[in-house]
Every structure is written in C-alpha cells, then in structure tokens.
C-alpha cells in the first residue's frame, strides 16, 4: 500500500471512493494481543450499518477506538454524518442533539451481539458530508465544521506525505494515540490514517504514562505515538521507559521547545509537531526541537490578514480565515499567536501566550494559564486573570516573581492557585470552565 494517496481527491472530485484502502489481509487495528484485518473490519461495518436507525446524523461516543472506526464507517455507509462533540459531558451532548435533532447516539453498547455480514462496502461520494467537527470552546461557544469525504481524502493524502519518513517502508506502521477520535486531530491521525494509509491503530485510548507504555509495548514493530503536549510532558516527567518508537506526533496546543528536546533525548525519536484547526485540519508541520518556522503541507497557502490568516488548501472548498497571526518567511512561516490573545491596556501591548509562558517559567509552577476576563472594571478595563497549579508556593510568591518580567498593567488580578486546571481530553482549556474556576476560587 502506498503511503501517499492522490491529493487531488478534494475539491472537484467526482468519483465515489472506497472507505477502506489497502490489502484486505492487512491489519487495521491491534490491541490486547490480537489484530484485526481489513476484511474482518469491513464485514463488521456492514453488520453495524444494517442495524442503525434511519437518521441524518450519528453521535459517535465509542470509547474503543476500533469500534469508533467501525461506527464511523457504518454511519457513512448509511449516509449519516458523524457528529464529533468537543466533550462527553451530558450537557454538551444534549446541546449537540438540540442543534441536530435528527440524530442518534452510537456507543460501545451498539456492538452487543454483532455478527459479521458478508459483502462489499459501497463507495462514498466525495461530496457527501461524513463528519461534523466542533471547535473546542476554548475561545467561546463550539462552532460546527462539516467535512466531506473528498476533503478527508485530500487532507489524509497531505498527512501521509507529512509523516511518510516516520512510517515503515512497505509495511504497516502501528499507531498508538492518546487523543480521543472525536477530536479532529484524533480523527485525522487515529481514524483516517488507518482507513486510508499503511497504519494499524491501537484499540485503546491510553491516558496515564503506564497505560501509554503498555499500549506501545503491544506493537509488533516500532509504533508512532500520536499525543498532545500535556500527555508528552507527563511521559517525560514520569521517567517511564517506552518501547522503541518510529516517532512522536503532537498537536492541539503549543509545544515548548524545551519539552520537545527533552522528549527526543528521553525516548530517542523525533518529535514532529503539527499545526491545524477544526476548521482547516492539519496544514503545517515542524520538528520543534530544531525548527522555529513551520512548513506548510503540499498545496497549502497562507496569506496574513490584519486580524488573522487566510488559509487555502486542496482539501478546503473555500478559503478559511483563522485567528492565528503568522509571518511568512520564504517557504515557511512563523506563528505569532492568535489575534484574540493580543492585549492593549493603558497604551501598552502584550499577548496572553507570552504572559502564560512567563507564568510557567516561575519556579514551582507546574501548570498555569493567563486569560482576560469578560467584565470590565470601574475604569472600563478588562483585567487579566491567572490560574496556577503550584504545590508548595502561594499566589503571593508567584505574583512577586512575575513582577520581575511583566509590566504592572498586565500583572494578573486575580491570580489564584488551584489543584488542577480544567483541561479537556486534548489538554485544551475551555473558556467557560476557566471563568467558572476563577470565580469559584475567588469565593472560596
């Protein structure tokens, strides 16, 4: 199986295309001492598709990653778009169902008593909407982003090209992912790569370092680890030994250079950071330990705007404007944060990203975030707040340390110490959760 698909199958594609590529005898998933071949997978997809209710949308909540793959394809066979909620909280699921009333929930219980069905999977029209992703809510309310099968084909071709040198030549590469498949990054790396590329995915969703190590140890050859900066930091700091790796891929949040270098030294594998969004999918890559600039994926074009960046790509049906600010340099670009991160108070400017980095640089702070409050004070200024996880030191000591590097107008008020930040499964911090936490901390 070629590691690179035809990247022209995005905009303007007209021919229906198979949901699963590759030799039917090759593995598509593994775990707990067993592997699942592509032929068996297709028979289970047909079986599940035959029992799905007639709805326009399916909310895929399968915890088992292999079952998520089966459910995603079964829904596509029935012409149903998979809804990918940004969190599994009942209130979030209820909101998704309210916005998409013609939907049903698919979870692991749907597989009880499932038999195989002999047959051939139908090809999927490239114009069919097969998934709807939702932004994380880190900057406000989650927004829906429909994805067509043709767009997924084109973006997966780009991703396979971007990872080609990390994949085993002429063999199936095992892949272990810590990110949930309901997240767009998880969908791209742990669902679409196994479906369309020479990859077999681990069925689990390991979270703690020991779980990740065990999953990696079940691979028959050096696996690719798909993770996030939060999980990667936990692995490095745990001191746990990992099986030899083909490489480490990370996304969802900025990766500190020091962490990238520490991970490469600790695990003897390249750490490749991917840049993208729910709106665009992955559009650029870099080796953070040695590279400052990002390299756009084939066909991706970036055009800086006053309040963000215009993105054009083969898999996008129309240009997308991101809030990220970039500086184009030759064939690459430098990322300067998001337009929403920029602050101007009393004629002075700063960025929330830079303030957060300074907070994390305070000795004793193991996690933290700086953000701007919604309400203005008596002077009409929206103040900056901070939450810090810092066992052994208090907020007063952290504030004193920040005064050495932060202009007084940008010192966070309030600055609260908390036991943990409200990170979701991908390590992101939903804004509403931050506001609730700082309000609760101020009342305690």
């Amino acid at each position: 199986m070629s590691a690179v698909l035809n990247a022209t199958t995005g905009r303007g594609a007209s021919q229906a295309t198979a949901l699963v590529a590759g030799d039917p005898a090759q593995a598509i998933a593994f775990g707990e001492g067993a592997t699942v071949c592509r032929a068996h997978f297709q028979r289970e997809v047909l079986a599940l598709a035959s029992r799905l209710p007639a709805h326009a949308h399916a909310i895929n909540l399968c915890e088992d990653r292999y079952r998520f793959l089966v459910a995603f394809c079964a829904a596509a066979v029935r012409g149903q778009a998979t809804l990918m909620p940004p969190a599994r909280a009942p209130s979030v699921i209820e909101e998704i169902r309210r916005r998409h009333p013609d939907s049903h929930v698919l979870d692991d219980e749907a597989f009880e008593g499932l038999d195989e069905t002999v047959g051939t999977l139908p090809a999927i029209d490239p114009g069919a909407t097969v998934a709807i992703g939702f932004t994380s809510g880190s900057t406000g309310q989650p927004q829906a982003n429909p994805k067509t099968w043709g767009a997924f084909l084109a973006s997966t071709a780009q991703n396979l090209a971007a990872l080609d040198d990390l994949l085993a030549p002429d063999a199936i590469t095992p892949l272990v992912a810590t990110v949930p498949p309901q997240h767009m990054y998880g969908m791209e790396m742990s669902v679409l790569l196994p479906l369309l590329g020479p990859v077999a995915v681990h069925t689990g969703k390991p979270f703690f370092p020991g779980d990740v190590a065990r999953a990696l140890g079940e691979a028959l050859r050096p696996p690719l680890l798909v993770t996030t900066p939060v999980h990667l930091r936990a692995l490095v700091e745990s001191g746990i030994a990992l099986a030899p790796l083909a490489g480490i891929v990370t996304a969802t949040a900025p990766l500190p250079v020091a962490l990238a270098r520490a991970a490469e030294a600790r695990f003897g594998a390249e750490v490749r950071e991917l840049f993208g969004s729910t709106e665009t999918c992955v559009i650029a890559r870099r080796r953070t330990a040695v590279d400052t600039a990002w390299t756009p994926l084939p066909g991706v074009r970036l055009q800086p705007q006053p309040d963000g960046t215009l993105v054009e790509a083969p898999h996008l049906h129309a240009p997308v404007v991101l809030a990220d600010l970039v500086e184009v340099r030759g064939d690459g670009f430098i990322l300067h944060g998001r337009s929403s991160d920029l602050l101007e108070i009393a004629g002075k400017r700063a960025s929330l990203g830079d303030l957060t980095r300074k907070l994390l640089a305070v000795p004793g702070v193991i996690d933290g975030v700086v953000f701007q409050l919604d309400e203005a004070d008596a002077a009409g200024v929206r103040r900056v707040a901070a939450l810090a996880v810092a066992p052994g030191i208090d907020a007063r000591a952290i504030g004193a340390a920040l005064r050495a590097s932060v202009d007084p107008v940008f010192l966070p008020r309030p600055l609260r110490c908390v036991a943990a930040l409200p990170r979701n499964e991908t390590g992101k911090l939903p804004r509403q959760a931050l506001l609730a936490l700082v309000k609760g901390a101020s009342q305690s």
Side-chain angles (χ1 to χ4, degrees):
M1 184 194 308
S2 172
V4 181
L5 299 175
N6 183 352
T8 64
T9 51
R11 291 179 299 187
S14 58
Q15 292 186 340
T17 307
L19 272 167
V20 187
D23 187 335
Q26 289 182 317
I28 192 171
F30 71 99
E32 299 182 354
T35 61
V36 180
C37 71
R38 294 168 189 268
H40 176 84
F41 169 77
Q42 294 185 58
R43 293 194 293 269
E44 287 205 316
V45 169
L46 288 171
L48 182 61
S50 68
R51 63 161 62 172
L52 295 185
H55 288 287
H57 305 98
I59 303 177
N60 193 336
L61 300 181
C62 293
E63 291 280 1
D64 181 284
R65 202 175 299 267
Y66 170 73
R67 288 179 173 177
F68 184 97
L69 263 71
V70 174
F72 168 73
C73 289
V77 166
R78 290 291 300 275
Q80 300 175 5
T82 292
L83 303 177
M84 297 156 53
R88 298 178 63 88
S91 60
V92 175
I93 304 302
E94 183 59 31
E95 173 62 17
I96 296 297
R97 297 199 74 171
R98 186 190 67 79
R99 294 166 64 176
H100 300 83
D102 190 11
S103 63
H104 66 99
V105 173
L106 261 175
D107 56 23
D108 295 282
E109 294 182 0
F111 289 79
E112 293 182 3
L114 185 69
D115 294 322
E116 297 180 28
T117 298
V118 178
T120 302
L121 288 183
I124 304 299
D125 189 301
T129 297
V130 293
I132 299 178
F134 294 85
T135 55
S136 65
S138 57
T139 58
Q141 291 299 317
Q143 300 297 314
N145 289 268
K147 305 294 180 182
T148 65
W149 182 236
F152 271 164
L153 287 169
S155 63
T156 302
Q158 292 173 310
N159 290 336
L160 286 167
L163 300 174
D164 185 56
D165 57 326
L166 300 181
L167 303 178
D170 302 318
I172 294 292
T173 297
L175 184 151
V176 173
T178 66
V179 64
Q182 288 86 357
H183 187 274
M184 191 58 67
Y185 167 52
M187 167 65 79
E188 290 188 81
M189 294 293 113
S190 69
V191 176
L192 296 174
L193 288 189
L195 286 177
L196 300 172
V199 171
V201 69
H202 190 274
T203 59
K205 193 175 67 177
F207 183 82
F208 296 106
D211 300 328
V212 176
R214 281 189 290 274
L216 293 169
E218 294 179 24
L220 297 180
R221 59 175 55 90
L224 195 65
L225 173 60
V226 173
T227 190
T228 70
V230 170
H231 292 140
L232 187 58
R233 183 180 296 279
L235 284 170
V236 170
E237 294 178 350
S238 72
I240 199 167
L242 300 182
L245 298 173
I248 299 172
V249 179
T250 179
T252 75
L255 176 67
V257 174
L259 177 57
R261 292 173 178 170
E264 290 198 353
R266 179 80 177 77
F267 303 122
E270 178 183 329
V271 176
R272 187 163 297 178
E273 187 177 9
L274 302 180
F275 175 70
S277 67
T278 303
E279 299 92 328
T280 64
C281 294
V282 175
I283 58 172
R285 50 167 284 194
R286 71 174 178 179
R287 182 180 176 187
T288 310
V290 297
D291 297 330
T292 301
W294 293 86
T295 300
L297 300 191
V300 172
R301 293 175 296 279
L302 303 180
Q303 182 177 339
Q305 307 280 302
D307 58 349
T309 301
L310 185 73
V311 180
E312 296 180 281
H315 63 278
L316 297 176
H317 291 278
V320 173
V321 177
L322 296 180
D324 301 275
L325 302 172
V326 306
E327 175 189 349
V328 176
R329 293 186 182 178
D331 295 332
F333 65 92
I334 303 295
L335 188 62
H336 291 302
R338 300 176 67 86
S339 58
S340 58
D341 286 348
L342 300 180
L343 303 171
E344 184 168 350
I345 300 176
K348 299 178 180 180
R349 294 184 177 182
S351 78
L352 292 172
D354 183 59
L355 293 173
T356 296
R357 284 189 288 271
K358 290 176 178 176
L359 173 63
L360 294 173
V362 174
V365 175
I366 61 175
D367 199 4
V369 63
V370 178
F371 59 101
Q372 194 170 26
L373 299 174
D374 288 336
E375 296 82 11
D377 62 14
V381 176
R382 291 173 58 207
R383 288 291 179 183
V384 175
L387 295 169
V389 180
I393 60 174
D394 58 20
R396 181 172 305 199
I398 297 171
L402 286 176
R403 288 188 185 93
S405 59
V406 175
D407 188 287
V409 301
F410 297 114
L411 285 172
R413 302 182 183 90
L415 192 163
R416 311 291 185 193
C417 287
V418 294
L421 295 185
R423 295 190 180 277
N424 62 20
E425 292 178 300
T426 61
K428 294 195 174 191
L429 294 165
R431 178 169 178 78
Q432 294 305 315
L434 291 177
L435 293 172
L437 187 57
V438 77
K439 182 178 180 181
S442 65
Q443 294 175 345
S444 61

